[in-house]
Amino acid sequence: MSNMHPDYVKLLPRYQTIRDCINDDVVSGGVSYDCGEVREYLVRTPGMENSTFTALKQLGVFMNITGSTLESVLGVANRMPAVIVVPEQVSYLEVNADGRGNKLKDIIKDAMSDTLPMGRFGVLVEPPAQRFDNDGNPIDASKADVASGKVRTTLKTYVPESIVDYDESVIGDVKMLSLVILMECVTIRDATTYQSKTEARYRFLTLDENGYHQQVFKDVDGTDPLTEKIMITGFDGKALDHIPFYFSGSKNNDADADNPPYYKLATKNIALYNLDANNRLNLNLHATGTLILTGDAEELGKKELTIGGGNGIYLGTTGSATLLQLEAGKALPEAIEAEKRDMVELGAKLSSPDVQRTLGEAEMSMAQELALLSSVTDNVEDMINLAVADLIMIQTGKEADFEIILNRNFFAKKLTAQELAVLKDLWQAGAISKAVLDAALIQNEVISTETDLDEMNDAIAEEAGEQGGVNFDEQETSAQ
């Protein structure tokens, strides 16, 4: 019995197929996320010679429709940047949110680019005491280090292939996440030879009546420990009463994995690759003619013949020559076009589409795409807000207001002057925060996306104070 969730076992091949399509690794054969086997996507028919299969791999062209479709949808999603307003104590999130130089907005983009095709993504709030060195030993941090900002609570991201197992239990009369097993690939370099190798390690996050613990193992079954089991504490030094791990999905954000939305598209993309390879091999073998000679010149059959411009062949008095030219079959080209039509129906974006759709079909496809994009945007925003709220509490020991609002203005449809005026009135009445108003003004291109909102609002507040106007610092804000 393995510590791999049944859903993970079922969905891992789908995740890997989608990932290989997106990353253009189908031809080379994608490498498993657990640092293991290489997969082969080109089908070798029974009895095919090695030389023929080699030619098949060389001739096949993988047209990355899955990747281009994702890029197109992400371009719509990221048309306007997310609005991020966080307290000064955790302002480092806007510069280095994960401890590796990635900003919070970069983590949001990563979450969107995985949740859309895979239907799953995870973020772990990592307190300072939760860090480990290369040998797997925990790095301790004092409360003073945390308070001074020398040591920071960070957000660590996990792709769906790395979320191996999870479970929920009733603890203190509340059903909550009690187990998460995360796979991490670690690169180890020999200090003498400088050669490196990649190993998979498994981080166990567990919760019981005593609090939240963590331990790292070499194996997924948890029989070969790399570290001791340690208690993870918050700002006050007490054990956390929950596992600070948060999911995003294509349908909802519960622990259960959603079926990957792009799996059908990826399998069609691979089927198209196989058809293309076989079609090109068929043309390569049979599209050129074969010269057939008959006659009384017996010596012709005993030597190689050279034909073409500048050469001639003597056939004797009764000889003749014909060129056997096979007609290209229609089955493979027709199958290729059928696969393309199916992919368009699934939402594929073709660079040179030759599949026509009616207005009704196009509108239905657009509605389906926007439904998925809107759902994923909502779910990623919720996940990030929960993770950041937890991070603020762990880092500072208290709650604080903040704003994180993802773009929902997917197309360049601007609000009218009257609608903008209503938003301004709502803000002045305290019904919405200044961050919400700023987000609307940015999305409608009233404020440039390059504008520093803090500097802008400080300047407006200063001018308002000089003229006896409204000071933004006196306006109430609310966390979304």
Side-chain angles (χ1 to χ4, degrees):
M1 184 174 180
S2 174
N3 282 340
M4 288 187 177
H5 197 281
D7 286 347
Y8 176 80
V9 175
K10 180 182 73 173
L11 295 177
L12 180 60
R14 302 182 187 185
Y15 294 147
Q16 293 173 330
T17 297
I18 297 169
R19 183 79 64 192
D20 288 340
C21 284
I22 292 173
N23 292 344
D24 247 331
D25 288 334
V26 169
V27 176
S28 59
V31 179
S32 297
Y33 187 79
D34 60 357
C35 325
E37 64 181 289
V38 175
R39 292 177 300 284
E40 179 65 71
Y41 290 103
L42 204 57
V43 177
R44 180 172 183 166
T45 56
M48 181 178 286
E49 296 289 339
N50 290 335
S51 58
T52 305
F53 187 60
T54 299
L56 189 71
K57 291 193 289 185
Q58 292 175 341
L59 291 169
V61 176
F62 177 69
M63 185 167 58
N64 193 353
I65 298 173
T66 307
S68 61
T69 300
L70 179 61
E71 287 180 4
S72 176
V73 177
L74 287 176
V76 173
N78 298 323
R79 196 180 74 84
M80 305 295 291
V83 174
I84 300 174
V85 180
V86 294
E88 180 64 30
Q89 300 98 311
V90 295
S91 59
Y92 62 84
L93 292 175
E94 299 187 66
V95 180
N96 184 3
D98 63 354
R100 302 176 62 185
N102 292 307
K103 303 174 184 178
L104 181 56
K105 67 178 182 180
D106 297 326
I107 290 178
I108 292 173
K109 288 181 179 179
D110 287 343
M112 289 292 296
S113 62
D114 259 26
T115 309
L116 267 168
M118 306 285 194
R120 193 162 179 78
F121 193 75
V123 171
L124 174 65
V125 181
E126 188 176 23
Q130 200 171 332
R131 292 186 175 86
F132 297 91
D133 60 22
N134 289 333
D135 296 325
N137 300 312
I139 302 174
D140 295 324
S142 67
K143 186 175 180 179
D145 288 335
V146 176
S148 65
K150 291 180 180 178
V151 179
R152 296 168 173 173
T153 306
T154 57
L155 301 175
K156 189 167 186 178
T157 60
Y158 288 87
V159 297
E161 298 97 316
S162 65
I163 307 173
V164 175
D165 199 6
Y166 51 93
D167 197 9
E168 293 177 314
S169 303
V170 176
I171 300 176
D173 297 328
V174 178
K175 187 176 181 180
M176 55 200 312
L177 199 62
S178 59
L179 169 71
V180 181
I181 300 178
L182 303 168
M183 180 173 59
E184 301 172 346
C185 280
V186 180
T187 301
I188 301 173
R189 188 176 297 278
D190 188 282
T192 304
T193 64
Y194 299 103
Q195 294 181 341
S196 63
K197 62 178 180 178
T198 303
E199 293 182 352
R201 295 178 178 177
Y202 298 87
R203 183 184 294 212
F204 283 55
L205 318 178
T206 57
L207 180 71
D208 55 28
E209 298 290 348
N210 297 318
Y212 167 41
H213 298 80
Q214 193 175 125
Q215 190 171 8
V216 178
F217 294 86
K218 288 184 178 181
D219 62 318
V220 70
D221 295 323
T223 61
D224 191 359
L226 275 170
T227 69
E228 297 293 327
K229 185 177 181 180
I230 61 172
M231 179 180 292
I232 306 300
T233 60
F235 183 84
D236 57 3
K238 297 180 180 179
L240 291 178
D241 60 358
H242 65 284
I243 297 177
F245 190 88
Y246 300 94
F247 299 92
S248 66
S250 56
K251 295 181 179 178
N252 54 56
N253 285 358
D254 60 19
D256 294 331
D258 297 332
N259 196 44
Y262 273 38
Y263 179 60
K264 290 181 180 179
L265 181 61
T267 55
K268 286 289 183 181
N269 207 164
I270 291 172
L272 181 63
Y273 168 52
N274 273 272
L275 287 171
D276 178 86
N278 281 282
N279 188 51
R280 291 174 186 272
L281 178 63
N282 182 50
L283 291 173
N284 185 267
L285 293 176
H286 305 300
T288 57
T290 301
L291 180 65
I292 299 176
L293 302 176
T294 61
D296 59 359
E298 295 182 1
E299 295 298 320
L300 289 177
K302 300 178 182 179
K303 63 180 180 179
E304 294 183 0
L305 300 179
T306 303
I307 62 175
N311 295 291
I313 300 175
Y314 174 66
L315 299 178
T317 57
T318 62
S320 64
T322 58
L323 186 66
L324 181 62
Q325 180 73 55
L326 300 181
E327 289 188 13
K330 296 181 180 180
L332 285 171
E334 288 176 354
I336 289 174
E337 292 307 313
E339 292 292 352
K340 286 183 178 181
R341 286 194 295 272
D342 287 346
M343 295 181 76
V344 169
E345 291 300 319
L346 290 171
K349 307 297 183 185
L350 305 183
S351 57
S352 300
D354 52 9
V355 179
Q356 301 298 320
R357 293 185 292 178
T358 66
L359 178 59
E361 291 171 337
E363 289 176 345
M364 182 176 294
S365 176
M366 179 62 69
Q368 291 172 342
E369 292 170 24
L370 287 181
L372 175 62
L373 178 56
S374 297
S375 176
V376 168
T377 300
D378 291 343
N379 294 340
V380 169
E381 182 178 281
D382 289 344
M383 176 191 69
I384 294 296
N385 273 280
L386 288 172
V388 170
D390 210 355
L391 180 145
I392 291 172
M393 176 61 74
I394 293 173
Q395 178 72 15
T396 68
K398 58 184 179 181
E399 296 180 355
D401 292 338
F402 67 94
E403 300 275 5
I404 299 177
I405 306 170
L406 273 60
N407 171 50
R408 287 174 176 79
N409 188 13
F410 301 134
F411 301 101
K413 180 181 178 182
K414 297 183 179 180
L415 297 176
T416 64
Q418 183 179 1
E419 289 170 329
L420 288 172
V422 170
L423 280 175
K424 184 194 73 172
D425 292 342
L426 288 172
W427 165 68
Q428 290 179 332
I432 61 174
S433 68
K434 184 60 168 59
V436 173
L437 177 62
D438 287 342
L441 294 177
I442 289 174
Q443 291 180 351
N444 285 270
E445 301 177 2
V446 176
I447 299 176
S448 169
T449 57
E450 304 299 324
T451 300
D452 186 312
L453 295 179
D454 291 334
E455 291 183 1
M456 180 194 74
N457 287 326
D458 288 344
I460 295 175
E462 184 178 345
E463 292 177 5
E466 293 174 355
Q467 300 174 11
V470 177
N471 191 326
F472 290 153
D473 294 334
E474 298 174 357
Q475 298 293 305
E476 295 183 357
T477 59
S478 60
Q480 297 295 309

